[in-house]
Amino acid sequence: MGPIWPSYYGECSALLFVVDAANPTQVSSSCIQLLSILSAAQLASVPVLVLFNKIDLPCYMSRVEMKSLFRMQDIISWATQPITILETSARDGTGLADVLQWLRATLG
Ligand SMILES: Nc1nc2c(ncn2[C@@H]2O[C@H](COP(=O)(O)OP(=O)(O)O)[C@@H](O)[C@H]2O)c(=O)[nH]1
Ligand SMILES: [Mg+2]
């Protein structure tokens, strides 16, 4: 669905970027998608929450591994947006309370 995301940028006041942390084959394309979002002029000051999801699966990559694979420190220093990172499992609910808290604090 990536090609149609820009049609929503104009109405966007907070952005959740969900990464499948159990799928190593998608990390590089996911990183490129994130860079493309972060460089969009319409999103220049929109707070971004990056979710490393599916941490309930035994093969998931840890936050440390994901941050390293994404070169997340470089991205955070380069990006104009405030970026927050959380680990979640949409299946068992891990981390979802923190997502809601972030949304309340960001949109509140
Ligand atoms: N184990 C697990 N499965 C998930 C989680 N979140 C979504 N899914 C499952 O992942 C499937 C959707 O695939 P997904 O990789 O999220 O999306 P897609 O790659 O964009 O199609 C559905 O079967 C969801 O139930 C999670 O946190 N843990
Ligand atoms: Mg998938």
Side-chain angles (χ1 to χ4, degrees):
M1 302 301 280
I4 68 162
W5 292 348
S7 57
Y8 297 95
Y9 288 175
E11 299 169 68
C12 183
S13 42
L15 195 140
L16 272 63
F17 188 84
V18 184
V19 183
D20 186 336
N23 190 339
T25 67
Q26 287 178 334
V27 169
S28 56
S29 66
S30 180
C31 186
I32 288 166
Q33 294 271 30
L34 178 60
L35 291 172
S36 154
I37 283 171
L38 295 175
S39 59
Q42 282 174 298
L43 300 177
S45 56
V46 171
V48 174
L49 178 61
V50 176
L51 300 177
F52 295 140
N53 189 44
K54 303 202 189 185
I55 62 164
D56 58 288
L57 293 176
C59 54
Y60 94 100
M61 291 166 282
S62 71
R63 179 201 296 246
V64 170
E65 287 173 295
M66 291 298 280
K67 283 184 76 173
S68 164
L69 288 167
F70 267 77
R71 298 183 65 103
M72 202 51 92
Q73 284 315 124
D74 289 342
I75 291 178
I76 287 169
S77 13
W78 162 85
T80 55
Q81 300 87 346
I83 300 177
T84 306
I85 294 162
L86 288 174
E87 289 183 312
T88 57
S89 165
R91 175 148 295 171
D92 68 19
T94 305
L96 296 190
D98 294 326
V99 174
L100 290 175
Q101 193 182 7
W102 182 90
L103 278 170
R104 274 194 296 270
T106 302
L107 302 174

